[in-house]
Amino acid sequence: MTQPSRVAIVTGAARGIGEATARKLAADGLAVAVVDLDEGACANTVTEIHDAGGTALAVGADVSDPGQVTAAVERVAAELGPPTVLVNNAGVLRDNLLFKMTDDDWETVMAVHLRGAFLFSRAVQKHMVDAGWGRIVSLSSTSALGNRGQANYAAAKAGIQGFTKTLAIELGRFGITANSVAPGFIVTDMTAATAARMGVDFADFEKAATGQIPVGRAGRPEDVANTVSFLVSEGAGFVSGQVIYVAGGPRA
Ligand code: NAP
């Protein structure tokens, strides 16, 4: 069955997993708001979607800023239509061992991952409730299970899981599902930055990671995008409050 036209918001969609997800949802037939810090940085994703025959809108917004989130959702509703699909994907790393982690390292990661997911979910839920249908997918991580140097990020990504389960309980009666996708090692600028911070060549970094992955390869942004595509589909309406690890195996 062809999916009816829906409007999706994907945050952090200028590159990486967000970009792949925006492109996949557009290919699925959804109109996609490509949200990132810098509207200009969204141009590439939007052009790729347009060139493939899809519908996309570039929107600049800091997901951690309440005013910018409200304005972004209002703009999407006005220009594309009421958003009933939300992918909370925007993310940052501020890795450090606990004794070296600064207040700002902690606050920044909490603000982007947790406050960002909260603000966007709260802003779009009205449109979903009005429609009697909605899909929220938030990016967690295998780091939620604990990861050296990531006390802030692990706490935020575990928090996303609790947040997701609560949205599923509160919003289910309105036809809205909430799920979380928890990637393992995915080749993006984020993992490249981690290798650089550790002073490790990225090819060596990827090879070491791959050795720990049961399917024997690193993940690609499209692996995550395909999982999100399922979770926001019409047919996934009885899947809610779940965390799906997209890690090439049962754990990191
Ligand atoms: P990425 O390549 O670093 O892309 C993240 C995007 O989010 C960037 O375009 C970034 O914009 C944007 N962003 C950052 N802060 C923002 C803010 N305050 N408001 C709006 N946009 C903001 O990361 P990725 O690897 O694709 O990761 C995407 C998501 O998956 C993140 O939530 C990440 O934690 C999660 N994840 C990734 C992996 C992995 O292996 N890559 C594994 C598990 C989970 P700028 O370029 O302007 O900073």
Side-chain angles (χ1 to χ4, degrees):
M1 188 182 81
T2 309
Q3 183 150 287
S5 180
R6 305 267 190 201
V7 174
I9 293 175
V10 183
T11 69
R15 56 192 168 90
I17 292 169
E19 175 188 359
T21 300
R23 292 174 64 175
K24 173 62 178 162
L25 298 192
D28 289 345
L30 285 79
V32 181
V34 176
V35 176
D36 213 291
L37 271 175
D38 172 19
E39 183 170 326
C42 300
N44 185 46
T45 308
V46 169
T47 300
E48 286 168 341
I49 290 173
H50 286 165
D51 288 351
T55 303
L57 172 72
V59 179
D62 179 344
V63 300
S64 68
D65 182 304
Q68 292 188 35
V69 171
T70 302
V73 172
E74 284 176 359
R75 186 173 158 213
V76 172
E79 296 190 30
L80 290 180
T84 54
V85 172
L86 171 66
V87 184
N88 289 309
N89 167 82
V92 290
L93 293 178
R94 293 290 185 275
D95 294 357
N96 233 326
L97 293 174
L98 181 63
F99 77 102
K100 288 194 281 190
M101 188 171 284
T102 67
D103 293 358
D104 189 58
D105 291 336
W106 179 269
E107 299 298 342
T108 299
V109 167
M110 292 300 153
V112 176
H113 294 274
L114 276 182
R115 182 160 13 115
F118 159 64
L119 291 174
F120 256 103
S121 301
R122 188 179 61 179
V124 297
Q125 58 81 31
K126 180 185 179 303
H127 295 292
M128 296 178 177
V129 169
D130 287 350
W133 191 95
R135 300 278 188 264
I136 299 173
V137 178
S138 301
L139 270 288
S140 179
S141 167
T142 51
S143 292
L145 303 170
N147 199 23
R148 183 180 170 81
Q150 294 195 315
N152 49 1
Y153 185 77
K157 291 308 199 185
I160 286 287
Q161 298 188 9
F163 177 69
T164 292
K165 290 171 190 292
T166 301
L167 295 192
I169 291 167
E170 290 189 14
L171 300 176
R173 73 186 62 179
F174 303 107
I176 301 167
T177 66
N179 290 287
S180 181
V181 172
F185 185 94
I186 309 293
V187 176
T188 68
D189 291 348
M190 185 176 273
T191 36
T194 300
R197 184 181 58 79
M198 296 168 70
V200 181
D201 176 71
F202 188 67
D204 294 338
F205 190 61
E206 181 178 342
K207 193 174 168 196
T210 301
Q212 305 296 315
I213 300 172
V215 301
R217 68 170 176 86
R220 303 283 160 190
E222 291 72 22
D223 292 311
V224 182
N226 288 336
T227 308
V228 175
S229 168
F230 164 68
L231 289 171
V232 308
S233 69
E234 301 295 322
F238 207 55
V239 182
S240 195
Q242 300 304 305
V243 179
I244 300 187
Y245 284 86
V246 181
R251 64 182 70 85

